[in-house]
Amino acid sequence: MAQENLSTITELVLVGFSNHPQVEIPLFFLFSGVYLVNLFGNTAIITLVVIDYCLQTPMYFFLCHLAFLNIFYTTAVVPKLLFNLLALKKVISYELCLAQTYISLLMGAAECIVLAIMALDRYVAICYPLRYLLIMNWSVCVQLAVGAWTISFFASVVPLYFTILPLCSPYIVDHIFCEVPVLLRMFCADTSLQETLMVIGASGTLLLPFLLITLSYLRILVAVMRMHSAEGRKKAFSVCSSHLTVVTIYYGTGMFTYMRPKSLYSAEGDKLISLFYAVINPALNPLIYSLRNKEVNGALKRVLERLSVSQRQMITILRCQ
């Protein structure tokens, strides 16, 4: 019966920022710029790691996964958001709404686990530098990456698939895109089970990785304080600062969204929070990881130099002909 009810829904109203029509055009240009920064920055990181041998280390391997999920997450959300900012009819198909819900769950869970793995990588690099490459070998890195995506899928997508309920009319999504906390308010039946599963899932994909990150950085802090070299301490803090910044931003908004009771939801407040972690934060990540990162900046210079040399050689060949 639930499946029949779901199959009758073809589209839903996606409110977005239609309550503030005067800001829709400025927001369109703002979000378009942020989205382009996201695409360019994260694609650049993946490209640099692939073509520059010096960046082919465990840390940048996992950074590529982070960049990929940032691109995938925002691509599932932003194009429809931009389209609706200009459209007179603010709607979203039921299939796309479900796709956004599943993708936001999967990408959110995967990002939490990948950030935890990156913290573990930094812990091994700083606390066991001589055995770092032996411990974090490529076989271990691949297994960790596969495990992160597998756990994320079974902890987020599978429970939702088996517990999704019919939606009650009017089919109005008062949000900027479809995600679980929003759909919970639209289900016809009692949502106690779904809320419980969401909290359990959030505990496994938010709290446990956050606990691992906290323990890793406590051990790192102890190890750094024991260093006799001020330069060594400065380098260690510099390596960890970008990751800590991303963790603080992402976990703060994620925990507030997925681990609070339904009674504390606020439509306008939730839009701003979701906007931050689904649109703005993915664009900030490549900037945070690259602006103060000498290895990334060095790789970029080497790639640009190679391109410049190749261009000069091509010009020389053409002139000789």
Side-chain angles (χ1 to χ4, degrees):
M1 185 63 184
Q3 188 62 39
E4 292 175 1
N5 288 339
L6 290 174
S7 64
T8 61
I9 305 172
T10 58
E11 63 182 21
L12 304 93
V13 176
L14 187 61
V15 175
F17 297 97
S18 58
N19 293 331
H20 310 282
Q22 70 278 6
V23 301
E24 287 188 312
I25 298 300
L27 287 179
F28 172 83
F29 289 105
L30 174 62
F31 297 158
S32 296
V34 172
Y35 183 53
L36 290 176
V37 169
N38 170 28
L39 290 180
F40 177 78
N42 285 297
T43 302
I45 285 179
I46 295 173
T47 304
L48 284 175
V49 173
V50 170
I51 65 179
D52 191 90
Y53 180 78
C54 295
L55 294 185
Q56 292 174 9
T57 63
M59 182 178 77
Y60 292 105
F61 172 74
F62 294 116
L63 184 57
C64 281
H65 283 266
L66 186 65
F68 167 77
L69 65 87
N70 282 335
I71 294 172
F72 198 84
Y73 191 174
T74 53
T75 301
V77 171
V78 176
K80 185 60 180 176
L81 170 63
L82 295 176
F83 179 83
N84 276 14
L85 284 172
L86 299 180
L88 295 177
K89 188 180 181 183
K90 320 285 188 183
V91 296
I92 183 171
S93 68
Y94 179 69
E95 290 76 15
L96 180 56
C97 182
L98 274 186
Q100 286 187 343
T101 304
Y102 284 123
I103 290 172
S104 64
L105 266 182
L106 176 60
M107 295 299 115
E111 181 160 358
C112 292
I113 298 176
V114 169
L115 287 173
I117 294 173
M118 292 175 72
L120 182 64
D121 172 76
R122 293 298 83 207
Y123 161 70
V124 176
I126 292 175
C127 297
Y128 303 97
L130 299 180
R131 292 195 293 161
Y132 172 64
L133 293 179
L134 181 64
I135 297 173
M136 297 297 292
N137 59 67
W138 284 113
S139 176
V140 170
C141 290
V142 171
Q143 291 177 41
L144 287 172
V146 171
W149 287 101
T150 304
I151 292 171
S152 300
F153 179 80
F154 283 101
S156 58
V157 174
V158 173
L160 176 62
Y161 179 81
F162 285 106
T163 60
I164 194 164
L165 296 171
L167 301 181
C168 287
S169 60
Y171 304 124
I172 300 176
V173 181
D174 192 4
H175 204 53
I176 58 174
F177 65 95
C178 294
E179 57 179 341
V180 171
V182 180
L183 291 186
L184 282 177
R185 301 198 292 270
M186 300 177 64
F187 287 154
C188 295
D190 177 59
T191 60
S192 300
L193 173 62
Q194 285 73 20
E195 289 184 66
T196 302
L197 288 175
M198 187 175 74
V199 173
I200 293 173
S203 299
T205 57
L206 269 171
L207 286 184
L208 290 181
F210 184 71
L211 179 62
L212 178 60
I213 291 171
T214 303
L215 292 175
S216 297
Y217 274 105
L218 285 175
R219 294 295 299 271
I220 288 173
L221 182 63
V222 171
V224 170
M225 290 297 100
R226 290 176 179 173
M227 291 181 179
H228 300 293
S229 168
E231 184 64 27
R233 288 196 296 270
K234 182 180 178 181
K235 183 178 180 181
F237 281 125
S238 176
V239 168
C240 296
S241 61
S242 57
H243 182 255
L244 274 174
T245 303
V246 172
V247 167
T248 302
I249 295 173
Y250 186 78
Y251 270 87
T253 54
M255 286 182 176
F256 183 78
T257 300
Y258 285 94
M259 300 200 69
R260 58 187 166 141
K262 192 168 64 171
S263 58
L264 294 181
Y265 291 160
S266 164
E268 295 302 316
D270 289 356
K271 290 177 187 178
L272 295 177
I273 295 170
S274 297
L275 188 66
F276 195 82
Y277 70 73
V279 180
I280 298 175
N281 192 46
L284 292 177
N285 285 350
L287 298 177
I288 293 172
Y289 279 109
S290 63
L291 284 180
R292 296 177 58 192
N293 192 311
K294 293 181 180 179
E295 293 175 330
V296 174
N297 291 330
L300 181 59
K301 289 179 181 178
R302 287 191 294 272
V303 171
L304 292 177
E305 287 173 0
R306 289 203 294 267
L307 289 175
S308 177
V309 170
S310 299
Q311 187 178 23
R312 288 198 297 269
Q313 290 175 343
M314 183 62 69
I315 292 172
T316 302
I317 292 172
L318 291 173
R319 285 178 177 176
C320 291
Q321 291 177 346

